[in-house]
Amino acid sequence: MSVKATHRDYGRMFPKWERAADCVSGQDAIHAGGIKYLPKLHAEKDDDYKARRARSDFFNTTWRTISGLSGMAFRKEPIYTVPAAIEPYLHDIDMAGLTASAFARGLVEEVLESGRAGVLVDYPPMPANVESITKAADEAQGLRPKMLFYDAKTIRNWHYARRRNAWALVMVVLGEDAPIPGKDEWEETCEPRYRVLDLDEKGFYRQRLFRVNERGEDELVEGPIYPTMNLKKLDYLPFRINGRNGMSARIEEPPTINLVNLNIAHYQINSDYRHGLHFTGLPTAVVSGYTPADEKAVLTIGATAAWIFPDPQAKAAYLEFTGQGLGALKEALADLEMRMALLGARMIADETAQAETLGATQIKRAGENGVLASIVIGVSQCMEWALGVMAEWAGAGGKVEYAINREFMPVPMGAQELTGLVGAWQAGGLSDSELFDMFKRGDIIAADKTLEEHQAEIDKAPPMPKPVVAPPSEEAA
């Protein structure tokens, strides 16, 4: 088997990933898909098909839903705790200018789209003939850990096995595109490469990079490389495949695949509707009882033209569409739009058959249930794991935590609730930290502010002026 061989589930899922990716990309990608998304009509010529496709609009509900759900998760900045040594890395997590928050958001959007995404924590190899290096020299040469993102389509092959009484990833093949110089400095092409991460015969992590040459043979381009941590080889893969329910060896359906399918159905019906409007929207002049003397004669329509026929029985009229077919198509479009909206809403809450009170709806919208909450929890755990590996690689000990917001829908705290909480705090029923957390959940205090910072601001603030009480009037006395 070649290095470009794929996992047995890859071929089954790839068409769904591709369909979802095209919907997310928008109308140009859907139009480029041709008959895959918009079949030809019976005996339709190529030019007629191209004209019909150009008239067909794609209403990109898929991307609007994914973007909206992602925006709900990141309406507050993630809360994190990392060692001071790696905190600067969060402003450039991939050494290409991407922040940790933007990286996490990309993970959430990819899992919403495809159902899985990969994260590699990588570290550049030591310079040749160098076994150890100081931290200052390390940073001066840009030798520091970084996170790399891989979407579902680039994770081509993988294998899990039991290691130390745990199910662990022991091999993964990642597809990449390598730039290849052309004939001059302006020309550049891309060549597929295959990065293999696995454990060797002794159980040590190694990286190898392959290409398939002109003879169809696997050719080693780079490696094997054995990244070291604290001068020791790793005995695990610093790569994690994250699914819709967190780290999982099982491949899962894209969470938005039903929405994607409805979005394409909407595009096809919209094409029928626009096609019908094109041929029936404008009235057509019809003349009977008249034969022009000259075959090249043209009847001109307009305020300055008059038709005079020799035969008094000749008639002229406009042929207009009066059927109900277009109305049925319009209703079908509206029905699909409603169904797509419902599918998007179900991303934030589990389905239920019974009616709910407003309080129950708010509790569900708080983010403890639903597909979006599961994805956000899984990505939070993935980011926490990756930051932990980065900290270990940088030789920085300390606590690592990372949590993406799960309060998806803002639920402002009312005056009655606010008064009750303050009263419970004054009576000793709530601690300072508990009251502070409740205020943050109610969007009264910024989510990224700590209790110490809040208290410091209060201490620095000038005292509030006492309320002025008007003296009693003589009449009242």
Side-chain angles (χ1 to χ4, degrees), residues 114-167:
S114 304
R116 64 177 2 207
V119 176
L120 171 63
V121 182
D122 202 16
Y123 195 96
M126 289 285 187
N129 302 319
V130 174
E131 294 183 358
S132 63
I133 192 170
T134 64
K135 184 173 179 58
D138 201 19
E139 293 179 351
Q141 297 185 48
L143 301 178
R144 45 147 284 199
K146 61 182 178 181
M147 286 189 205
L148 298 177
F149 169 83
Y150 289 86
D151 63 41
K153 296 189 295 297
T154 60
I155 307 173
R156 300 174 55 85
N157 206 348
W158 58 92
H159 182 61
Y160 285 83
R162 180 72 62 181
R163 285 178 58 82
R164 301 190 186 92
N165 296 321
W167 201 241

Coordinates of all heavy atoms in Angstrom, one line a residue, residues 114-167:
S114 N -17.6 19.9 9.5 CA -17.2 18.5 9.1 C -17.3 17.5 10.1 O -17.2 16.3 9.8 CB -15.7 18.6 8.6 OG -15.5 19.5 7.6
G115 N -17.4 17.9 11.4 CA -17.5 16.9 12.5 C -16.2 16.5 13.1 O -16.1 15.7 14.0
R116 N -15.1 17.0 12.5 CA -13.8 16.7 13.1 C -12.7 17.7 12.6 O -12.8 18.3 11.6 CB -13.3 15.3 12.8 CG -13.1 15.0 11.3 CD -12.6 13.6 10.9 NE -12.4 12.7 12.0 CZ -11.5 11.7 12.0 NH1 -10.7 11.5 10.9 NH2 -11.4 10.8 12.9
A117 N -11.7 17.8 13.4 CA -10.5 18.7 13.1 C -9.3 18.1 13.9 O -9.5 17.5 14.9 CB -10.8 20.1 13.5
G118 N -8.1 18.4 13.4 CA -6.9 18.0 14.0 C -6.0 19.1 14.5 O -6.0 20.2 13.9
V119 N -5.3 18.9 15.6 CA -4.4 19.8 16.1 C -3.0 19.1 16.4 O -3.0 18.1 17.0 CB -4.9 20.4 17.4 CG1 -3.8 21.4 18.0 CG2 -6.2 21.2 17.2
L120 N -2.0 19.7 15.8 CA -0.6 19.2 16.0 C 0.2 20.2 16.8 O 0.2 21.4 16.4 CB 0.0 18.9 14.6 CG 1.6 18.6 14.7 CD1 1.8 17.3 15.4 CD2 2.1 18.5 13.3
V121 N 0.7 19.8 17.9 CA 1.7 20.6 18.6 C 3.1 20.2 18.1 O 3.5 19.1 18.3 CB 1.6 20.4 20.1 CG1 2.5 21.4 20.8 CG2 0.2 20.7 20.6
D122 N 3.7 21.2 17.4 CA 5.0 20.9 16.8 C 6.1 21.7 17.3 O 5.9 22.8 17.9 CB 4.8 21.2 15.3 CG 5.9 20.4 14.4 OD1 6.5 19.5 15.0 OD2 6.1 20.8 13.3
Y123 N 7.3 21.2 17.2 CA 8.5 21.9 17.6 C 9.6 21.8 16.6 O 9.8 20.6 16.2 CB 8.9 21.4 19.0 CG 9.9 22.2 19.7 CD1 9.5 23.1 20.7 CD2 11.3 22.2 19.5 CE1 10.4 23.9 21.4 CE2 12.2 23.0 20.1 CZ 11.8 23.9 21.1 OH 12.6 24.7 21.8
P124 N 10.2 22.8 16.2 CA 11.3 22.7 15.1 C 12.4 21.8 15.6 O 12.8 21.8 16.8 CB 11.7 24.1 14.9 CG 10.7 25.0 15.5 CD 10.1 24.2 16.6
P125 N 13.0 21.0 14.7 CA 14.2 20.2 15.2 C 15.4 21.1 15.5 O 15.5 22.2 15.0 CB 14.5 19.4 13.9 CG 13.9 20.1 12.8 CD 12.7 20.9 13.3
M126 N 16.2 20.6 16.4 CA 17.4 21.3 16.7 C 18.3 21.5 15.5 O 18.3 20.7 14.6 CB 18.2 20.5 17.8 CG 17.5 20.5 19.2 SD 17.8 22.1 20.0 CE 17.1 21.6 21.6
P127 N 19.1 22.6 15.5 CA 20.1 22.7 14.4 C 21.0 21.5 14.3 O 21.2 20.8 15.3 CB 20.9 24.0 14.8 CG 19.9 24.7 15.7 CD 19.2 23.7 16.4
A128 N 21.6 21.3 13.2 CA 22.5 20.1 13.0 C 23.7 20.1 14.0 O 24.2 21.2 14.3 CB 23.0 20.1 11.6
N129 N 24.0 18.9 14.5 CA 25.1 18.7 15.4 C 24.9 19.5 16.7 O 25.9 19.8 17.4 CB 26.4 19.1 14.8 CG 26.7 18.4 13.5 OD1 26.4 17.2 13.4 ND2 27.2 19.1 12.5
V130 N 23.7 19.8 17.1 CA 23.4 20.5 18.4 C 22.5 19.6 19.2 O 21.4 19.2 18.7 CB 22.7 21.9 18.1 CG1 22.3 22.5 19.5 CG2 23.7 22.8 17.4
E131 N 22.9 19.3 20.4 CA 22.1 18.4 21.3 C 21.3 19.2 22.3 O 20.2 18.8 22.7 CB 23.0 17.5 22.0 CG 23.7 16.5 21.1 CD 24.6 15.5 21.9 OE1 24.6 15.6 23.1 OE2 25.1 14.6 21.3
S132 N 21.8 20.4 22.8 CA 21.1 21.2 23.7 C 21.3 22.7 23.4 O 22.3 23.0 22.7 CB 21.5 20.9 25.1 OG 22.9 21.2 25.3
I133 N 20.4 23.5 23.8 CA 20.5 25.0 23.5 C 19.9 25.7 24.6 O 19.0 25.3 25.3 CB 19.8 25.2 22.1 CG1 20.2 26.6 21.6 CG2 18.3 25.1 22.2 CD1 19.7 26.9 20.2
T134 N 20.4 26.9 24.9 CA 19.8 27.8 26.0 C 18.5 28.3 25.5 O 18.2 28.4 24.3 CB 20.8 28.9 26.3 OG1 20.9 29.8 25.2 CG2 22.2 28.4 26.7
K135 N 17.7 28.7 26.5 CA 16.4 29.2 26.2 C 16.4 30.5 25.4 O 15.7 30.7 24.5 CB 15.6 29.5 27.5 CG 14.1 29.9 27.3 CD 13.4 30.0 28.6 CE 12.0 30.4 28.4 NZ 11.2 29.6 27.4
A136 N 17.4 31.4 25.7 CA 17.6 32.6 25.0 C 17.9 32.4 23.5 O 17.3 33.0 22.6 CB 18.6 33.5 25.7
A137 N 18.9 31.5 23.3 CA 19.2 31.1 21.9 C 18.1 30.4 21.2 O 17.9 30.6 20.0 CB 20.5 30.3 21.9
D138 N 17.4 29.7 21.9 CA 16.2 28.9 21.4 C 15.2 29.9 20.8 O 14.7 29.8 19.7 CB 15.6 28.1 22.5 CG 14.7 27.0 22.0 OD1 14.9 26.6 20.8 OD2 13.8 26.5 22.7
E139 N 14.8 30.9 21.7 CA 13.9 31.9 21.2 C 14.4 32.8 20.1 O 13.7 33.3 19.2 CB 13.4 32.8 22.4 CG 12.6 32.0 23.5 CD 12.2 32.8 24.7 OE1 12.7 33.9 24.8 OE2 11.5 32.3 25.5
A140 N 15.7 33.1 20.2 CA 16.3 34.0 19.2 C 16.2 33.3 17.8 O 16.1 34.0 16.8 CB 17.8 34.3 19.5
Q141 N 16.3 32.0 17.7 CA 16.2 31.3 16.4 C 14.8 30.9 16.1 O 14.6 30.2 15.1 CB 17.1 30.1 16.5 CG 18.6 30.4 16.7 CD 19.5 29.1 16.6 OE1 19.3 28.3 15.7 NE2 20.3 29.0 17.6
G142 N 13.8 31.3 16.9 CA 12.5 31.0 16.6 C 12.1 29.5 16.9 O 11.2 29.0 16.3
L143 N 12.9 28.9 17.7 CA 12.6 27.5 18.1 C 11.7 27.5 19.3 O 12.2 27.6 20.5 CB 14.0 26.8 18.4 CG 15.0 26.8 17.3 CD1 16.2 26.0 17.8 CD2 14.4 26.1 16.1
R144 N 10.5 27.4 19.1 CA 9.5 27.4 20.1 C 8.3 26.5 19.7 O 8.0 26.4 18.4 CB 9.0 28.8 20.5 CG 8.7 29.7 19.3 CD 7.6 30.7 19.6 NE 6.2 30.0 19.6 CZ 5.1 30.7 19.4 NH1 5.1 32.0 19.2 NH2 3.9 30.1 19.4
P145 N 7.5 26.0 20.6 CA 6.4 25.1 20.2 C 5.3 26.0 19.5 O 5.2 27.2 19.8 CB 5.9 24.5 21.5 CG 6.4 25.4 22.6 CD 7.7 26.0 22.0
K146 N 4.5 25.3 18.7 CA 3.4 26.0 18.0 C 2.3 25.0 17.7 O 2.5 23.8 17.8 CB 3.9 26.6 16.7 CG 4.4 25.6 15.7 CD 4.9 26.3 14.4 CE 5.5 25.3 13.4 NZ 6.0 25.9 12.2
M147 N 1.1 25.5 17.5 CA 0.0 24.7 17.1 C -0.3 24.8 15.6 O -0.2 25.9 15.1 CB -1.3 25.2 17.9 CG -1.4 24.8 19.3 SD -3.0 25.2 20.0 CE -2.6 25.5 21.7
L148 N -0.6 23.7 15.0 CA -1.0 23.6 13.6 C -2.3 23.0 13.5 O -2.7 22.0 14.1 CB 0.1 22.8 12.8 CG 1.5 23.4 12.8 CD1 2.4 22.5 12.1 CD2 1.5 24.8 12.2
F149 N -3.1 23.6 12.6 CA -4.5 23.1 12.4 C -4.6 22.3 11.1 O -4.1 22.6 10.1 CB -5.4 24.4 12.2 CG -6.8 24.1 11.8 CD1 -7.8 23.7 12.7 CD2 -7.2 24.3 10.4 CE1 -9.1 23.5 12.2 CE2 -8.4 24.0 10.0 CZ -9.4 23.6 10.9
Y150 N -5.4 21.2 11.2 CA -5.7 20.3 10.0 C -7.2 20.1 10.0 O -7.8 19.6 11.0 CB -4.9 19.0 10.2 CG -3.4 19.1 10.0 CD1 -2.6 19.4 11.0 CD2 -2.9 18.9 8.7 CE1 -1.2 19.6 10.9 CE2 -1.5 19.0 8.5 CZ -0.7 19.4 9.6 OH 0.7 19.5 9.4
D151 N -7.8 20.4 8.8 CA -9.2 20.1 8.6 C -9.4 18.6 8.3 O -8.5 17.9 8.2 CB -9.8 21.0 7.6 CG -9.2 20.8 6.2 OD1 -9.0 19.6 5.8 OD2 -9.0 21.8 5.4
A152 N -10.7 18.3 8.3 CA -11.1 16.9 8.2 C -10.5 16.2 6.9 O -10.1 15.1 7.0 CB -12.6 16.7 8.2
K153 N -10.5 16.9 5.8 CA -10.1 16.3 4.5 C -8.6 16.1 4.5 O -8.2 15.2 3.7 CB -10.5 17.2 3.4 CG -12.0 17.4 3.2 CD -12.4 18.1 1.9 CE -11.9 19.6 2.0 NZ -12.6 20.4 3.1
T154 N -7.8 16.8 5.3 CA -6.4 16.6 5.3 C -5.9 15.4 6.2 O -4.8 15.0 6.2 CB -5.7 17.9 5.7 OG1 -6.1 18.2 7.1 CG2 -6.0 19.0 4.8
I155 N -6.8 14.9 7.1 CA -6.5 13.8 8.0 C -6.9 12.5 7.2 O -8.0 12.0 7.3 CB -7.3 13.9 9.3 CG1 -7.0 15.3 10.0 CG2 -6.8 12.8 10.3 CD1 -7.9 15.5 11.2
R156 N -6.0 12.0 6.4 CA -6.2 11.0 5.5 C -6.3 9.6 6.0 O -7.0 8.7 5.6 CB -5.2 11.0 4.3 CG -5.2 12.4 3.6 CD -4.0 12.4 2.6 NE -4.1 11.3 1.7 CZ -4.8 11.2 0.6 NH1 -5.5 12.3 0.2 NH2 -4.8 10.2 -0.2
N157 N -5.4 9.3 7.0 CA -5.4 7.9 7.6 C -5.0 8.0 9.0 O -4.3 9.0 9.4 CB -4.3 7.1 6.8 CG -4.6 5.6 6.9 OD1 -5.5 5.2 7.6 ND2 -3.9 4.8 6.1
W158 N -5.4 7.1 9.8 CA -5.2 7.1 11.3 C -5.3 5.7 11.9 O -6.0 4.9 11.3 CB -6.1 8.1 12.0 CG -7.5 7.8 11.8 CD1 -8.4 7.1 12.6 CD2 -8.4 8.3 10.7 NE1 -9.6 7.0 12.0 CE2 -9.7 7.8 10.9 CE3 -8.1 9.1 9.5 CZ2 -10.7 8.0 10.0 CZ3 -9.2 9.3 8.7 CH2 -10.4 8.8 8.9
H159 N -4.7 5.5 13.0 CA -4.8 4.2 13.6 C -4.7 4.4 15.2 O -3.8 5.1 15.6 CB -3.7 3.3 13.1 CG -3.8 1.9 13.8 ND1 -4.9 1.1 13.6 CD2 -3.0 1.2 14.5 CE1 -4.7 -0.1 14.3 NE2 -3.6 0.0 14.8
Y160 N -5.6 3.8 15.9 CA -5.5 3.9 17.4 C -5.2 2.5 17.9 O -5.5 1.5 17.2 CB -6.9 4.3 17.9 CG -7.2 5.7 17.8 CD1 -7.8 6.2 16.6 CD2 -7.0 6.6 18.8 CE1 -8.1 7.6 16.5 CE2 -7.3 8.0 18.7 CZ -7.9 8.4 17.5 OH -8.2 9.8 17.4
A161 N -4.6 2.4 19.0 CA -4.2 1.2 19.7 C -4.2 1.4 21.2 O -4.2 2.5 21.7 CB -2.8 0.7 19.2
R162 N -4.2 0.3 21.9 CA -4.2 0.3 23.4 C -2.8 0.5 23.9 O -1.9 -0.3 23.5 CB -4.8 -1.0 23.9 CG -4.8 -1.1 25.4 CD -5.9 -0.2 26.0 NE -7.2 -0.6 25.6 CZ -8.3 0.1 26.0 NH1 -8.2 1.1 26.8 NH2 -9.5 -0.3 25.6
R163 N -2.6 1.6 24.6 CA -1.2 1.8 25.2 C -1.4 2.3 26.6 O -2.2 3.2 26.9 CB -0.5 2.9 24.4 CG 0.1 2.4 23.1 CD 0.8 3.6 22.3 NE 1.8 4.2 23.1 CZ 3.1 3.7 23.2 NH1 3.4 2.5 22.5 NH2 4.0 4.3 23.9
R164 N -0.7 1.6 27.5 CA -0.8 1.9 29.0 C -2.3 2.0 29.4 O -2.7 2.9 30.1 CB -0.1 3.2 29.3 CG 1.4 3.2 28.9 CD 2.1 4.5 29.4 NE 3.5 4.6 28.9 CZ 3.8 5.2 27.8 NH1 2.9 5.8 27.1 NH2 5.1 5.3 27.5
N165 N -3.0 1.0 29.0 CA -4.4 0.9 29.4 C -5.3 2.0 29.0 O -6.3 2.4 29.6 CB -4.5 0.7 31.0 CG -3.9 -0.6 31.5 OD1 -4.0 -1.6 30.8 ND2 -3.2 -0.5 32.6
A166 N -4.9 2.6 27.9 CA -5.7 3.7 27.3 C -5.7 3.6 25.8 O -4.7 3.1 25.2 CB -5.1 5.1 27.7
W167 N -6.7 4.1 25.2 CA -6.9 4.1 23.7 C -6.1 5.3 23.2 O -6.5 6.5 23.5 CB -8.4 4.1 23.4 CG -8.7 3.7 22.0 CD1 -9.3 4.4 21.0 CD2 -8.5 2.3 21.5 NE1 -9.5 3.6 19.9 CE2 -9.0 2.3 20.1 CE3 -8.0 1.1 22.0 CZ2 -9.0 1.2 19.3 CZ3 -7.9 0.0 21.2 CH2 -8.4 0.0 19.9

